[in-house]
């Protein structure tokens, strides 16, 4: 079906489902019964008509390069059950030899190809450099005024003490965040909103609020002195404040293993962020690809854990060299045939410490840890090196933390023996996201 003749497994297809109901419904549609006009192309697209409750079949198209989906059904889920069913049918080799797409499928596929070609066509257009400088200067002045206002807010917080924050409520912080938006500093607005939610986060919140306030203060001071900072650190500060990256980042072509994927929702519930962690099998370089979804809709990009993509990844300036955009793919994704190599707990901490030198606001660093043994205890879970000489605590609080059922799943997978675990190593501990049993390349997502 693809150029290499390799198909996704049913598990990898079902990992794209937005919820359990979609998995079950897609599984029921993964047979040949309700389908007609099923086909696919050598370039990696699928199409089919699925008979529903009405008289008109639903038109379903899938572009495997995205993956991206189009269906005429009224579902707001993405991908819908028909797209999942078509993918399951393809994974079971229920789609025949490559052929020509019908008009209704070819039109959508051609439109996607045309949109992808537009940025390349406009890349060489001259820019109004003088106008851009004036706009950048005006925005910098607005951000500077916003930073000064935020510093006064932090000063008032410390003078008044943290004890009253539980009674003060969130409204004052939301107002300050809105002022940062007016100052065109969305990065600062996001940090202020996070700061305002801390008093409702349970025991120990004053210490966490003081830590976050210190980081916000550090970012404020860094912005005020950004012109004197080294280039990479200055790019990180601009990115953290919320300015778009300037200049072209480094492009790396490699075979990229998808290590983990999970979603998080903003404190106000308005935005869903999907984090996808990749590792270059040739370069060993980690990459973080983000995608976003508006209220009620998940992000459009989904990369099943365990697949390998041969593609170009372009890294954005700053952010400790992690944030990247997924570019053109050279071939279809294939399952990884081996367990990724891991490091011990000491090396994981060293990697996180080195990254903090480039980005002091970095909450965590991606690490493949192993072999390690998960150990539950009265003071919390730990991931211990097999020699028993050192261990990392497992993060159970904060953004991206794992639930206890997921940790028991990790313990069951281990069975008291060593496993390889991918996760985020940060100041709160290690957050496990994906695990592998010894000798098995099949990943087990924990997120």
């Amino acid at each position: 079906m693809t150029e290499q003749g390799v198909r996704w497994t049913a598990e990898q297809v079902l990992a794209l489902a937005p919820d359990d109901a979609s998995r079950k419904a897609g599984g029921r549609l993964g047979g040949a019964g309700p389908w007609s006009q099923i086909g696919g192309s050598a370039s990696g697209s699928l199409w089919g008509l699925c008979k529903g409750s009405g008289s008109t079949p639903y038109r379903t198209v899938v572009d495997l390069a995205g993956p991206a989906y189009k269906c005429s059904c009224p579902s707001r889920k993405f991908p819908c059950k028909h797209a999942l069913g078509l993918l399951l049918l393809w994974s079971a080799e229920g789609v025949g030899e490559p052929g020509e797409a019908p008009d209704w499928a070819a039109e959508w596929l051609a439109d996607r190809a045309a949109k992808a070609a537009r940025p390349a066509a406009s890349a060489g257009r001259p820019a109004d450099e003088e106008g851009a400088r004036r706009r950048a200067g005006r925005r910098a002045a607005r951000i500077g005024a916003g930073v000064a206002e935020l510093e006064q807010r932090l000063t008032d917080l410390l003078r008044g003490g943290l004890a009253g924050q539980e009674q003060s409520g969130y409204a004052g912080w939301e107002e300050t965040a809105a002022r940062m938006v007016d100052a065109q500093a969305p990065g600062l607005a996001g940090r202020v909103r996070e700061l305002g939610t801390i008093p409702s986060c349970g025991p120990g919140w004053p210490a966490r609020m003081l830590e976050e306030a210190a980081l916000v203060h550090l970012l404020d001071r860094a912005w005020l002195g950004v012109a004197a900072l080294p280039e990479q650190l200055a790019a990180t500060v601009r990115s953290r404040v919320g300015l778009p990256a300037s200049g072209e980042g480094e492009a790396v072509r490699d075979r990229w293993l998808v290590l983990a994927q999970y979603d998080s929702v903003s404190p106000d519930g308005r935005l869903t962020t999907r984090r996808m962690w990749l590792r270059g099998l040739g370069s060993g370089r980690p990459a973080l690809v983000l995608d976003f979804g508006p209220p009620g809709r998940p992000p459009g990009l989904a990369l099943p854990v365990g697949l390998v993509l041969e593609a170009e990844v372009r890294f954005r300036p700053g952010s400790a060299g992690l944030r990247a955009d997924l570019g053109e793919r050279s071939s279809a994704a294939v399952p990884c045939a081996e367990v990724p190599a891991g490091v011990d707990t000491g090396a994981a901490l060293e990697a996180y410490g080195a990254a903090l030198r480039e980005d002091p606001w970095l909450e965590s660093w991606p690490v493949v840890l192993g072999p390690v043994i998960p150990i539950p205890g009265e003071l919390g879970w730990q991931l211990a090196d097999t020699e028993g000489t050192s261990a990392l605590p497992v993060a159970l609080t904060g953004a991206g933390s794992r639930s206890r059922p997921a940790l028991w799943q990790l313990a069951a997978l281990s069975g008291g023996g060593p496993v390889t675990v991918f996760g985020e190593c940060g100041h709160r501990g290690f957050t496990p996201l994906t695990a592998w049993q010894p000798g098995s390349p099949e990943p087990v997502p924990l997120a």
Side-chain angles (χ1 to χ4, degrees):
M1 176 63 225
T2 63
E3 293 178 0
Q4 285 72 29
V6 179
R7 301 170 190 261
W8 297 352
T9 66
E11 290 76 14
Q12 290 166 337
V13 170
L14 293 175
L16 301 171
D19 51 39
D20 289 336
S22 297
R23 291 188 188 92
K24 294 177 182 177
R28 290 193 294 269
L29 292 174
W35 293 94
S36 62
Q37 289 193 25
I38 305 170
S41 69
S43 60
S45 56
L46 308 169
W47 54 81
L49 297 177
C50 187
K51 181 174 175 56
S53 57
S55 58
T56 303
Y58 296 124
R59 297 175 173 181
T60 308
V61 195
V62 176
D63 183 357
L64 294 171
Y69 323 93
K70 173 72 173 178
C71 187
S72 61
C73 75
S75 175
R76 294 185 178 181
K77 296 181 179 180
F78 192 82
C80 68
K81 63 183 181 181
H82 304 99
L84 290 170
L86 183 59
L87 281 166
L88 286 171
L89 186 63
W90 166 68
S91 72
E93 302 189 13
V95 178
E97 293 298 317
E100 185 175 350
D103 292 343
W104 51 268
E107 182 178 353
W108 179 73
L109 293 169
D111 184 58
R112 274 183 55 80
K115 288 180 179 178
R118 285 172 194 160
S122 60
R125 294 178 182 174
D128 180 4
E129 295 183 2
E130 182 60 32
R133 278 196 295 270
R134 287 196 297 268
R135 289 190 295 273
R138 289 194 295 268
R139 182 170 185 179
R142 292 192 191 99
I143 294 174
V147 164
E149 183 177 342
L150 181 54
E151 282 291 282
Q152 185 60 53
R153 180 74 167 88
L154 295 176
T155 300
D156 294 342
L157 170 67
L158 295 181
R159 284 177 178 169
L162 300 178
Q165 289 301 305
E166 282 185 301
Q167 288 73 39
S168 299
Y170 180 73
W173 292 107
E174 179 57 38
E175 181 181 350
T176 303
R179 298 286 293 167
M180 296 305 104
V181 173
D182 292 341
Q184 294 186 293
L188 287 176
R191 298 198 79 95
V192 169
R193 290 192 178 99
E194 290 181 11
L195 191 60
T197 63
I198 292 176
S200 60
C201 289
W205 68 265
R208 293 197 296 275
M209 192 167 197
L210 188 60
E211 290 173 359
E212 182 61 29
L215 287 172
V216 174
H217 171 67
L218 179 64
L219 184 55
D220 287 346
R221 301 307 300 177
W223 171 259
L224 295 176
V226 68
L229 295 177
E231 182 179 350
Q232 281 298 107
L233 184 56
T236 296
V237 170
R238 294 187 185 98
S239 174
R240 291 294 183 182
V241 167
L243 290 176
S246 60
E248 289 289 330
E250 180 185 5
V252 179
R253 181 168 292 278
D254 204 339
R255 297 177 64 243
W256 299 93
L257 169 62
V258 183
L259 291 169
Q261 171 183 289
Y262 68 91
D263 294 350
S264 60
V265 181
S266 61
D268 58 8
R270 297 177 182 175
L271 185 70
T272 298
T273 302
R274 176 164 294 164
R275 299 167 67 90
M276 291 158 281
W277 284 112
L278 312 179
R279 177 199 258 187
L281 295 182
S283 63
R285 185 166 180 175
L288 173 62
V289 177
L290 299 182
D291 198 20
F292 304 94
R297 289 195 62 183
L301 180 62
L303 302 176
V305 177
L307 289 184
V308 176
L309 319 169
E310 187 171 343
E312 180 180 271
V313 165
R314 184 169 293 278
F315 289 87
R316 299 189 180 187
S319 301
L322 280 180
R323 181 74 189 279
D325 298 305
L326 188 61
E328 181 184 358
R329 305 186 193 182
S330 305
S331 59
V334 298
C336 187
E338 58 186 22
V339 178
V343 300
D344 60 25
T345 56
L349 289 174
E350 289 179 5
Y352 177 49
L356 282 176
R357 291 197 294 267
E358 298 184 32
D359 184 354
W361 302 274
L362 191 68
E363 292 189 358
S364 60
W365 182 258
V367 176
V368 178
L369 202 60
V372 290
I373 300 174
I375 303 174
E378 294 182 0
L379 299 179
W381 288 70
Q382 298 184 74
L383 294 174
D385 292 332
T386 52
E387 296 83 2
T389 56
S390 61
L392 283 177
V394 174
L396 283 174
T397 59
S401 61
R402 302 301 98 211
S403 63
R404 289 190 180 274
L407 294 178
W408 284 114
Q409 181 186 9
L410 177 60
L413 185 70
S414 164
V419 290
T420 299
V421 184
F422 169 75
E424 299 170 357
C425 182
H427 62 280
R428 293 189 178 93
F430 186 89
T431 301
L433 299 173
T434 309
W436 294 262
Q437 287 181 306
S440 173
E442 188 69 25
V444 179
L446 305 172

